[in-house]
Amino acid sequence: QVMVKIAAMGLYAKHILPRVIDLACRHEDIFRTRQELVPRAHGKVLEVGFGTGLNLSSYDAGRVQRLWALEPFWDSMQAVAEKRLRKSSIEVEAVPSGAESIPLPSNFFDTVVMTYTLCSITGWDQALGQMRRVLRPGGALLFSEHGESPEPSVRNWQHRIDPTWTRVAGGCHITRRIPELIEHTGFTIDQLESGFLPGPRISAYHYWGRATPT
């Protein structure tokens, strides 16, 4: 029974979950925040949590020198991402690695892009430290994430549901205080917007903006 359960979870994680995440992250209002944020990326760009390549169509190809796609589950995500990769004119280099240990040079990138990724990184502090390391002086972290609501009634439900939510949503947490996590690891947030987007309120509070290494 244990082996059957493990096999079923592996099947879910490899074949079903990537498509579920892709569908959820294509929601019109979430996609709109991507379209506002991602075109601001320029130069050498690292996208943390490339997933199925949902951001590719939002990059300004004239501003991006090259894109490095960091994705620990590249083998699972590649089948869904392939069509988007073929359509894009941007040169993309896959980096099949987690964000806790980015196998790329320090002070190298002009922009790091992170959208709907920080919620699911186990070692978020290590990952943000790595993003800070690989950014060149004057570089920027562009982020769009969902997280803990400032409304007590919603926040209480988030904390009740989070353990179950995390198990079925590929490690995603709905209780992370995104701005605090970013600033805790040596960034200064110089642009920030936040608020509820349409959808279930337990997962609909979003933060998006820009941060620079301190």
Side-chain angles (χ1 to χ4, degrees):
Q1 289 181 337
V2 173
M3 292 303 296
V4 170
K5 184 176 180 181
I6 291 172
M9 289 302 293
L11 178 67
Y12 173 74
K14 186 171 183 179
H15 298 290
I16 300 173
L17 185 60
R19 288 165 171 80
V20 171
I21 293 172
D22 184 80
L23 181 63
C25 290
R26 277 191 281 135
H27 186 282
E28 179 182 356
D29 295 284
I30 292 177
F31 196 69
R32 189 177 300 120
T33 66
R34 295 174 184 272
Q35 289 178 311
E36 293 175 3
L37 187 80
V38 175
R40 295 158 57 186
H42 73 281
K44 297 175 182 175
V45 179
L46 173 67
E47 182 172 337
V48 175
F50 182 76
T52 59
L54 277 171
N55 285 331
L56 269 176
S57 63
S58 298
Y59 283 103
D60 182 344
R63 289 170 51 83
V64 175
Q65 180 180 337
R66 192 176 185 184
L67 175 66
W68 282 256
L70 188 78
E71 176 51 59
F73 304 109
W74 179 255
D75 288 345
S76 300
M77 299 293 183
Q78 187 177 9
V80 183
E82 196 60 43
K83 185 182 293 185
R84 295 177 179 130
L85 288 164
R86 286 197 300 266
K87 287 182 178 180
S88 177
S89 62
I90 296 173
E91 184 178 355
V92 178
E93 179 177 332
V95 185
S97 173
E100 293 92 341
S101 181
I102 299 175
L104 295 167
S106 299
N107 305 317
F108 184 73
F109 291 99
D110 300 289
T111 314
V112 171
V113 173
M114 178 178 65
T115 61
Y116 305 100
T117 298
L118 192 58
C119 63
S120 61
I121 298 176
T122 302
W124 59 264
D125 50 347
Q126 296 166 303
L128 284 165
Q130 285 286 295
M131 294 178 219
R132 184 173 179 271
R133 176 185 66 79
V134 300
L135 272 171
R136 67 167 181 78
L141 168 66
L142 303 177
F143 63 92
S144 182
E145 301 283 343
H146 69 149
E148 186 183 81
S149 166
E151 292 190 12
S153 60
V154 177
R155 184 169 65 243
N156 289 341
W157 273 107
Q158 286 179 313
H159 282 270
R160 290 176 191 171
I161 293 171
D162 190 67
T164 301
W165 181 284
T166 301
R167 286 196 295 271
V168 300
C172 169
H173 291 269
I174 52 177
T175 55
R176 290 189 169 171
R177 301 176 181 179
I178 301 302
E180 290 184 22
L181 302 190
I182 292 172
E183 292 185 327
H184 176 76
T185 48
F187 285 94
T188 297
I189 297 177
D190 46 35
Q191 296 174 15
L192 179 65
E193 295 184 68
S194 62
F196 284 104
L197 296 184
R201 289 173 74 80
I202 59 167
S203 62
Y205 199 81
H206 292 249
Y207 302 88
W208 60 98
R210 179 182 186 271
T212 52
T214 302

